[in-house]
Protein backbone atom coordinates (compact mmCIF):
# COMPACT_ATOMS: atom_id res chain seq x y z
CA UNK A 1 0.00 0.00 0.00
CA UNK A 2 1.38 3.44 -0.80
CA UNK A 3 2.25 5.85 2.03
CA UNK A 4 -0.30 8.30 0.59
CA UNK A 5 -3.17 5.81 0.79
CA UNK A 6 -2.33 4.82 4.34
CA UNK A 7 -1.63 8.38 5.57
CA UNK A 8 -2.32 8.01 9.26
CA UNK A 9 -0.92 11.14 10.84
CA UNK A 10 -0.38 14.85 10.53
CA UNK A 11 3.12 16.26 10.59
CA UNK A 12 3.69 19.54 12.45
CA UNK A 13 6.71 21.29 14.02
CA UNK A 14 8.01 19.66 17.19
CA UNK A 15 7.55 21.86 20.29
CA UNK A 16 9.12 21.91 23.73
CA UNK A 17 5.70 20.84 25.07
CA UNK A 18 6.09 17.58 23.11
CA UNK A 19 9.22 16.57 25.00
CA UNK A 20 7.58 14.38 27.69
CA UNK A 21 5.91 12.28 24.97
CA UNK A 22 9.08 12.32 22.86
CA UNK A 23 11.20 11.08 25.76
CA UNK A 24 8.76 8.26 26.53
CA UNK A 25 9.03 7.02 22.93
CA UNK A 26 12.80 7.65 22.78
CA UNK A 27 13.43 5.57 25.90
CA UNK A 28 11.18 2.76 24.66
CA UNK A 29 12.89 2.72 21.25
CA UNK A 30 16.62 3.00 21.91
CA UNK A 31 19.15 1.29 24.18
CA UNK A 32 21.06 4.60 24.21
CA UNK A 33 18.34 7.28 24.08
CA UNK A 34 18.91 11.00 23.66
CA UNK A 35 18.50 13.02 26.85
CA UNK A 36 15.96 15.82 27.23
CA UNK A 37 18.90 18.25 27.10
CA UNK A 38 19.90 17.07 23.62
CA UNK A 39 16.37 17.66 22.29
CA UNK A 40 16.24 21.09 23.96
CA UNK A 41 19.65 22.05 22.53
CA UNK A 42 18.61 20.96 19.03
CA UNK A 43 15.47 23.12 19.14
CA UNK A 44 17.33 26.04 20.73
CA UNK A 45 19.94 26.19 17.96
CA UNK A 46 17.24 26.09 15.29
CA UNK A 47 17.29 22.51 14.08
CA UNK A 48 13.98 21.45 12.57
CA UNK A 49 11.94 19.09 14.69
CA UNK A 50 8.93 17.27 13.23
CA UNK A 51 6.09 15.67 15.19
CA UNK A 52 3.80 13.01 13.69
CA UNK A 53 0.48 13.06 15.50
CA UNK A 54 -2.67 10.99 15.21
CA UNK A 55 -6.23 12.35 14.93
CA UNK A 56 -6.42 12.46 18.74
CA UNK A 57 -3.25 14.58 18.90
CA UNK A 58 -1.17 11.76 20.40
CA UNK A 59 2.47 11.68 19.34
CA UNK A 60 3.28 8.74 17.04
CA UNK A 61 6.81 9.68 16.05
CA UNK A 62 9.28 12.49 15.53
CA UNK A 63 12.37 13.51 13.60
CA UNK A 64 15.18 16.04 13.95
CA UNK A 65 16.92 17.65 10.97
CA UNK A 66 19.85 20.05 10.68
CA UNK A 67 20.65 21.89 7.46
CA UNK A 68 23.94 23.67 6.79
CA UNK A 69 25.67 24.80 3.58
CA UNK A 70 24.05 22.43 1.16
CA UNK A 71 23.97 19.33 3.36
CA UNK A 72 21.00 18.25 5.42
CA UNK A 73 21.59 15.79 8.25
CA UNK A 74 18.88 13.56 9.71
CA UNK A 75 19.83 13.37 13.39
CA UNK A 76 16.95 11.32 14.78
CA UNK A 77 13.89 9.55 13.37
CA UNK A 78 11.77 7.49 15.71
CA UNK A 79 8.28 6.00 15.76
CA UNK A 80 6.42 4.70 18.80
CA UNK A 81 6.65 0.90 19.05
CA UNK A 82 2.81 0.92 19.03
CA UNK A 83 2.62 2.73 15.67
CA UNK A 84 5.18 1.01 13.46
CA UNK A 85 4.67 -0.34 9.94
CA UNK A 86 1.87 2.17 9.32
CA UNK A 87 3.93 4.54 7.18
CA UNK A 88 4.64 7.09 9.93
CA UNK A 89 8.41 7.18 9.33
CA UNK A 90 7.82 7.40 5.59
CA UNK A 91 5.57 10.42 6.10
CA UNK A 92 8.16 12.04 8.37
CA UNK A 93 10.86 11.43 5.73
CA UNK A 94 8.71 13.05 3.03
CA UNK A 95 8.26 16.14 5.16
CA UNK A 96 11.88 16.55 6.14
CA UNK A 97 13.02 16.00 2.54
CA UNK A 98 10.69 18.85 1.56
CA UNK A 99 12.13 21.05 4.32
CA UNK A 100 15.73 20.25 3.31
CA UNK A 101 14.94 21.17 -0.31
CA UNK A 102 13.35 24.46 0.78
CA UNK A 103 16.58 25.24 2.64
CA UNK A 104 18.53 24.57 -0.58
CA UNK A 105 20.23 21.37 0.57
CA UNK A 106 21.20 19.03 -2.24
CA UNK A 107 22.07 15.97 -0.12
CA UNK A 108 20.42 14.37 2.90
CA UNK A 109 22.82 12.39 5.08
CA UNK A 110 22.30 10.15 8.09
CA UNK A 111 24.04 7.56 10.23
CA UNK A 112 22.48 4.22 11.10
CA UNK A 113 23.63 1.15 12.97
CA UNK A 114 24.22 -1.76 10.55
CA UNK A 115 22.41 -3.96 13.10
CA UNK A 116 19.27 -1.79 12.78
CA UNK A 117 17.85 -3.78 9.90
CA UNK A 118 14.41 -2.17 9.99
CA UNK A 119 15.83 1.33 9.69
CA UNK A 120 18.29 0.30 6.97
CA UNK A 121 15.38 -1.23 5.02
CA UNK A 122 13.33 1.96 5.50
CA UNK A 123 16.13 4.16 4.17
CA UNK A 124 16.88 1.90 1.19
CA UNK A 125 13.16 1.91 0.35
CA UNK A 126 13.33 5.73 0.36
CA UNK A 127 16.24 6.21 -2.01
CA UNK A 128 19.23 6.29 0.35
CA UNK A 129 22.54 4.67 -0.59
CA UNK A 130 25.54 3.76 1.53
CA UNK A 131 28.39 6.26 1.09
CA UNK A 132 30.72 5.39 3.96
CA UNK A 133 31.29 4.01 7.43
CA UNK A 134 32.16 5.80 10.67
CA UNK A 135 34.19 3.34 12.73
CA UNK A 136 33.13 2.79 16.36
CA UNK A 137 30.62 5.67 16.14
CA UNK A 138 27.90 4.34 18.45
CA UNK A 139 27.99 3.08 22.04
CA UNK A 140 26.97 -0.58 22.20
CA UNK A 141 26.34 -3.11 24.96
CA UNK A 142 29.87 -4.47 24.44
CA UNK A 143 32.14 -1.65 23.28
CA UNK A 144 31.27 0.35 20.19
CA UNK A 145 29.42 -0.20 16.89
CA UNK A 146 30.22 1.28 13.47
CA UNK A 147 27.77 3.59 11.73
CA UNK A 148 26.79 3.28 8.10
CA UNK A 149 26.62 6.69 6.43
CA UNK A 150 23.67 6.83 4.04
CA UNK A 151 22.93 9.63 1.60
CA UNK A 152 20.11 10.61 -0.71
CA UNK A 153 20.39 13.25 -3.44
CA UNK A 154 17.66 15.88 -3.16
C1 LIG B 1 12.93 2.43 11.81
C2 LIG B 1 11.58 3.07 12.15
C3 LIG B 1 11.77 4.59 12.23
C4 LIG B 1 10.57 2.72 11.03
O1 LIG B 1 9.34 3.41 11.34
P1 LIG B 1 7.94 2.93 10.71
O2 LIG B 1 6.98 4.04 10.88
O3 LIG B 1 7.59 1.60 11.26
O4 LIG B 1 8.34 2.78 9.15
P2 LIG B 1 7.29 2.73 7.92
O5 LIG B 1 6.01 2.14 8.36
O6 LIG B 1 7.27 4.07 7.27
O7 LIG B 1 8.07 1.67 6.98
C5 LIG B 1 8.24 1.89 5.59
C6 LIG B 1 9.02 0.73 5.00
O8 LIG B 1 10.33 0.63 5.61
C7 LIG B 1 10.68 -0.77 5.76
N1 LIG B 1 10.69 -1.13 7.18
C8 LIG B 1 10.34 -0.35 8.23
N2 LIG B 1 10.52 -1.02 9.39
C9 LIG B 1 10.98 -2.25 9.07
C10 LIG B 1 11.36 -3.40 9.82
N3 LIG B 1 11.30 -3.42 11.17
N4 LIG B 1 11.81 -4.48 9.15
C11 LIG B 1 11.90 -4.49 7.82
N5 LIG B 1 11.54 -3.43 7.02
C12 LIG B 1 11.10 -2.33 7.65
C13 LIG B 1 9.58 -1.54 5.03
O9 LIG B 1 9.96 -1.60 3.66
C14 LIG B 1 8.38 -0.61 5.22
O10 LIG B 1 7.34 -0.83 4.28
P3 LIG B 1 6.20 -1.97 4.58
O11 LIG B 1 5.70 -1.73 5.98
O12 LIG B 1 5.18 -1.67 3.50
O13 LIG B 1 6.90 -3.29 4.43
C15 LIG B 1 11.02 2.50 13.49
O14 LIG B 1 11.10 1.10 13.49
C16 LIG B 1 11.73 3.03 14.73
O15 LIG B 1 11.37 4.08 15.25
N6 LIG B 1 12.75 2.27 15.21
C17 LIG B 1 13.48 2.68 16.44
C18 LIG B 1 14.26 3.97 16.22
C19 LIG B 1 15.23 3.84 15.07
O16 LIG B 1 15.90 2.83 14.91
N7 LIG B 1 15.33 4.93 14.27
C20 LIG B 1 16.26 5.00 13.16
C21 LIG B 1 17.57 5.47 13.66
S1 LIG B 1 18.74 5.70 12.31
Amino acid sequence: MSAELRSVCDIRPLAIADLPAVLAIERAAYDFPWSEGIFRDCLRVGYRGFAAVGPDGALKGYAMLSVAVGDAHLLNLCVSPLCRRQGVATQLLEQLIGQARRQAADTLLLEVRPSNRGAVALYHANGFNEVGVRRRYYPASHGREDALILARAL
Side-chain angles (χ1 to χ4, degrees):
M1 196 186 301
S2 78
E4 195 175 350
L5 285 176
R6 63 181 181 179
S7 174
V8 286
C9 53
D10 290 323
I11 311 290
R12 60 161 174 76
L14 191 72
I16 291 286
D18 293 314
L19 290 188
V22 165
L23 289 168
I25 295 173
E26 178 81 7
R27 289 169 183 155
Y30 292 114
D31 289 338
F32 299 92
W34 278 13
S35 66
E36 179 173 350
I38 294 177
F39 284 102
R40 284 184 178 273
D41 285 348
C42 286
L43 294 174
R44 184 174 50 77
V45 300
Y47 294 171
R48 301 290 177 141
F50 300 82
V53 295
D56 58 356
L59 189 72
K60 291 176 169 237
Y62 50 87
M64 192 67 74
L65 178 76
S66 76
V67 185
V69 280
D71 280 342
H73 200 150
L74 177 53
L75 303 172
N76 198 337
L77 170 66
C78 191
V79 173
S80 164
L82 302 174
C83 304
R84 292 186 185 162
R85 305 305 285 267
Q86 300 171 12
V88 175
T90 303
Q91 276 187 254
L92 281 162
L93 276 174
E94 285 168 4
Q95 290 292 314
L96 61 90
I97 285 168
Q99 179 63 42
R101 286 185 173 136
R102 286 192 292 280
Q103 290 185 249
D106 44 36
T107 307
L108 178 57
L109 290 160
L110 61 87
E111 285 87 18
V112 62
R113 292 176 189 261
S115 61
N116 191 346
R117 300 201 185 275
V120 171
L122 168 75
Y123 296 131
H124 282 152
N126 282 277
F128 287 82
N129 293 305
E130 192 179 324
V131 295
V133 173
R134 292 192 205 283
R135 296 285 170 209
R136 300 172 53 76
Y137 183 77
Y138 290 114
S141 50
H142 299 287
R144 310 281 300 177
E145 180 175 359
D146 293 345
L148 297 179
I149 308 170
L150 303 186
R152 185 194 141 141
L154 300 176

